[in-house]
């Protein structure tokens, strides 16, 4: 949306832009509303990125990602708050900077992938926070425990067939029985995801 | 120049000796036991406690070294042969150095580990890593060094303790009593001084 807005250097240019905008009126309001315009059903495709980070005392921390996941979302054009998203992560696919760290994360110390091969998130409500942003409330299930969780989503690149969201959120890991290593490692897992949706 | 005029180590050296002896032997048993634990989560926590106590031992051992250098030690009992004195002295210096070297090697192990786990002593103080370059090889080297030094020192300490007990129960001299608090606590004027060559 913002790429439609030039920065006018002069009043003349501004007037020209207003004129141009008014001529384009049928599409201009829609482009100010990326979410409603992108209404539809999408599959989260494998070009997405699911990164996370856990801070540690004294600076730095553990950075990791999940290579394997599946999910979909529906953007409701008439009422964005009725939009839905579900995503399943397969923690076996966790990547970290170190093979031993990955084994540790897969073990029953953290994800316990043998008994709990999936981590799921299901939205319960979506609240618009701006032209291209929304807050997603939902339930995150990991290690057999379900807790409320919240993420912020911002529309990134999009075209007729695809839309990309940057989704961030901080999750406390102790309620899931994953509090190993606290307080050396923070209780908070910071997610930073790029979810690329392809229209179904 | 002996600074001791009594036939006792004095309360400071005695307190340090027994505190360090207890912690050091306990730390070896603890170190061995934590290696046998199957749960990785529990093992992680135990290793952090091991590191915390290790740093505590390092500080106490350093204080003891300073005390030993500043205050010296009582003259060896006159009943000891020259060989016995040299043997006892050598073992004691080796043990004193081991109580520094073992935790230092452990610190080097933690510092060179490619896992980069911070040391957060007793969840209170972040102890920085030693300025060593982490690598799998360096970590393996320091792990082996730490282990060999720890078990080697443990064996030497057992020999040292056995000798002390033999002096007390078999030879019935006052080698052990000099290291016990009873004599150090008595007022100086009432202390039994078996030394004849006190001022040598
Ligand atoms: C006087 C103090 C210490 C003693 C007597 C001691 C002794 C031991 C022993 C006996 C083990 C088990 C070795 C094995 O069987 O594989 C061990 C392991 C270990 N020690 Fe220490 N330690 C001391 C201090 C420290 C310190 C200060 C640190 C780090 C800051 C440390 C870090 C470790 C680590 C990380 C291991 C586990 C190695 C592994 O999992 O392979 N230790 N220690
Ligand atoms: C648990 C059984 C132990 C007993 C019965 C014992 C007994 C003694 C005795 C009687 C002395 C005085 C010897 C003399 O005057 O020549 C002594 C000194 C000493 N012991 Fe032990 N000890 C024990 C454990 C340890 C341990 C585990 C360490 C260290 C790892 C240790 C380190 C030393 C050192 C360094 C000295 C020299 C005195 C000083 O600097 O404080 N001892 N010990």
């Amino acid at each position: 949306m913002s790429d439609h807005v030039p920065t006018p250097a002069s009043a003349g240019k501004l007037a020209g832009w207003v004129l141009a905008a008014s001529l384009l009126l049928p599409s201009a309001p829609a482009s100010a509303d990326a979410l409603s315009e992108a209404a539809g059903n999408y599959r989260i495709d494998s070009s997405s990125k699911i990164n996370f980070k856990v801070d540690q005392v004294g600076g730095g921390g553990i950075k990791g990602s999940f290579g394997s996941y599946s999910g979909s979302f529906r953007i409701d054009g008439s009422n964005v708050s009725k939009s839905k998203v579900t995503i399943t992560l397969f923690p076996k696919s966790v990547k970290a900077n170190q093979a031993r760290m990955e084994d540790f994360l897969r073990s029953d110390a953290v994800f316990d992938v043998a008994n709990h091969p999936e981590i799921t998130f299901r939205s319960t409500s979506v609240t618009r926070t701006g032209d291209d942003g929304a807050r997603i409330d939902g339930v995150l299930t990991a290690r057999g425990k379900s807790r409320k969780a919240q993420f912020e989503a911002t529309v990134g690149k999009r075209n007729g067939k695809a839309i990309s969201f940057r989704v961030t959120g901080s999750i406390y890991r102790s309620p899931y029985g994953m509090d190993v290593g606290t307080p050396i490692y923070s209780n908070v897992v910071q997610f930073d995801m790029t979810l690329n949706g392809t229209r179904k | 120049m002996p600074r001791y005029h009594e036939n006792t180590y004095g309360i400071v050296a005695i307190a340090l000796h027994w505190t360090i002896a207890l912690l050091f032997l306990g730390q070896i048993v603890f170190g061995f036991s934590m290696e046998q634990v199957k749960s990785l989560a529990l093992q992680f926590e135990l290793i952090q406690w091991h590191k915390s106590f290790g740093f505590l031992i390092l500080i106490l051992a350093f204080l003891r070294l300073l005390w030993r250098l500043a205050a010296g030690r009582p003259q060896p009992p006159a009943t000891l042969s020259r060989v016995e004195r040299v043997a006892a002295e050598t073992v004691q210096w080796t043990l004193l150095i081991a109580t520094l070297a073992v935790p230092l090697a452990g610190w080097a192990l933690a510092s060179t580990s490619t896992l980069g786990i911070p040391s957060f002593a007793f969840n209170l103080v972040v102890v920085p890593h030693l300025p060593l370059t982490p690598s799998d090889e360096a970590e393996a080297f320091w792990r082996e060094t730490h282990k060999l030094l720890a078990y080697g020192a443990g064996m030497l300490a057992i020999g040292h303790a056995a000798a002390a007990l033999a002096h007390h129960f078999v030879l019935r001299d006052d080698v052990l009593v000099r290291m016990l608090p009873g004599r150090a606590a008595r007022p100086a004027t009432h202390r039994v001084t078996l030394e004849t060559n006190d001022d040598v």
Side-chain angles (χ1 to χ4, degrees), chain A:
Chain A
M1 177 212 78
S2 56
D3 42 330
H4 291 242
V5 185
T7 38
S10 68
K13 261 191 185 164
L14 177 66
W17 179 77
V18 169
L19 181 68
S22 62
L23 291 173
L24 291 169
L25 209 57
S27 68
S31 71
D33 191 355
L35 280 174
S36 358
E37 197 181 64
N41 287 305
Y42 295 83
R43 185 174 42 78
I44 295 173
D45 73 39
S46 59
S47 65
S48 302
K49 299 252 173 313
I50 304 199
N51 299 325
F52 66 88
K53 182 169 165 274
V54 179
D55 288 342
Q56 67 186 31
V57 288
I62 297 172
K63 289 196 174 81
S65 63
F66 294 98
S68 169
Y69 43 83
S70 73
S72 58
F73 54 86
R74 187 170 66 82
I75 302 174
D76 193 308
S78 51
N79 185 356
V80 169
S81 64
K82 283 195 177 149
S83 301
K84 284 222 167 333
V85 52
T86 58
I87 182 161
T88 303
L89 311 177
F90 302 101
K92 196 172 180 222
S93 68
V94 72
K95 290 266 166 301
N97 60 338
Q98 245 271 352
R100 276 185 295 164
M101 184 64 82
E102 292 171 1
D103 290 342
F104 186 78
L105 292 171
R106 286 185 198 112
S107 79
D108 64 359
V110 187
F111 297 126
D112 192 10
V113 301
N115 296 307
H116 303 283
E118 297 183 352
I119 296 175
T120 59
F121 176 78
R122 249 167 249 287
S123 69
T124 49
S125 77
V126 174
T127 317
R128 290 200 69 142
T129 52
D131 281 352
D132 56 357
R135 194 179 67 231
I136 304 166
D137 283 280
V139 176
L140 182 73
T141 305
R143 278 186 78 134
K145 294 192 176 70
S146 298
R147 292 284 183 283
K148 283 188 184 144
Q150 198 177 72
F151 292 93
E152 299 291 334
T154 316
V155 180
K157 278 188 253 142
R158 70 187 172 94
N159 58 41
K161 285 195 263 343
I163 184 164
S164 168
F165 286 95
R166 169 138 187 252
V167 181
T168 56
S170 293
I171 307 291
Y172 282 95
R173 55 199 178 92
S174 56
Y176 299 94
M178 295 187 193
D179 56 334
V180 64
T182 50
I184 293 179
Y185 294 104
S186 166
N187 193 2
V188 179
V189 183
Q190 302 163 49
F191 279 93
D192 189 343
M193 313 183 256
T194 305
L195 299 183
N196 298 328
T198 314
R199 245 184 230 282
K200 287 203 215 175

Side-chain angles (χ1 to χ4, degrees), chain B residues 24 27-28 31-32 34-35 47 50-51 54-55 57 99 102-104 106-107 109-110 119 143 146-147 150-151:
Chain B
F24 191 80
Q27 181 81 338
I28 294 174
F32 176 80
M34 77 191 183
E35 295 293 313
I47 292 178
H50 176 81
K51 289 161 69 180
F55 285 120
I57 294 171
T99 52
V102 174
L104 282 173
W107 193 1
L109 153 57
S119 297
R143 169 174 290 112
H146 181 58
K147 182 173 159 179
Y151 291 130

Side-chain angles (χ1 to χ4, degrees), chain B residues 113-150:
Chain B
S113 170
T114 47
L115 289 172
I117 299 171
S119 297
F120 196 27
F122 298 104
N123 290 342
L124 291 173
V125 189
V126 179
V127 183
H129 288 318
L130 293 169
L132 301 168
T133 312
S135 74
D136 289 339
E137 295 72 36
E139 181 180 352
F141 170 80
W142 286 111
R143 169 174 290 112
E144 206 52 31
T145 305
H146 181 58
K147 182 173 159 179
L148 291 177
L149 284 177

Side-chain angles (χ1 to χ4, degrees), chain B residues 36-97:
Chain B
Q36 321 304 316
V37 168
K38 291 282 168 289
S39 155
L40 289 179
L42 178 61
Q43 189 175 60
F44 181 92
E45 306 296 345
L46 293 177
I47 292 178
Q48 306 321 308
W49 283 107
H50 176 81
K51 289 161 69 180
S52 296
F53 278 101
F55 285 120
L56 179 62
I57 294 171
L58 181 59
I59 292 170
L60 292 174
F62 187 66
L63 291 178
R64 177 204 228 165
L65 175 68
L66 293 182
W67 185 260
R68 173 68 189 254
L69 293 174
R73 67 193 287 263
Q75 286 295 303
T79 49
L80 294 191
S81 72
R82 179 153 197 92
V83 176
E84 284 176 306
R85 289 180 194 197
V86 172
E89 186 91 347
T90 309
V91 168
Q92 287 165 25
W93 271 111
T94 310
L95 285 176
L96 206 156
I97 289 162

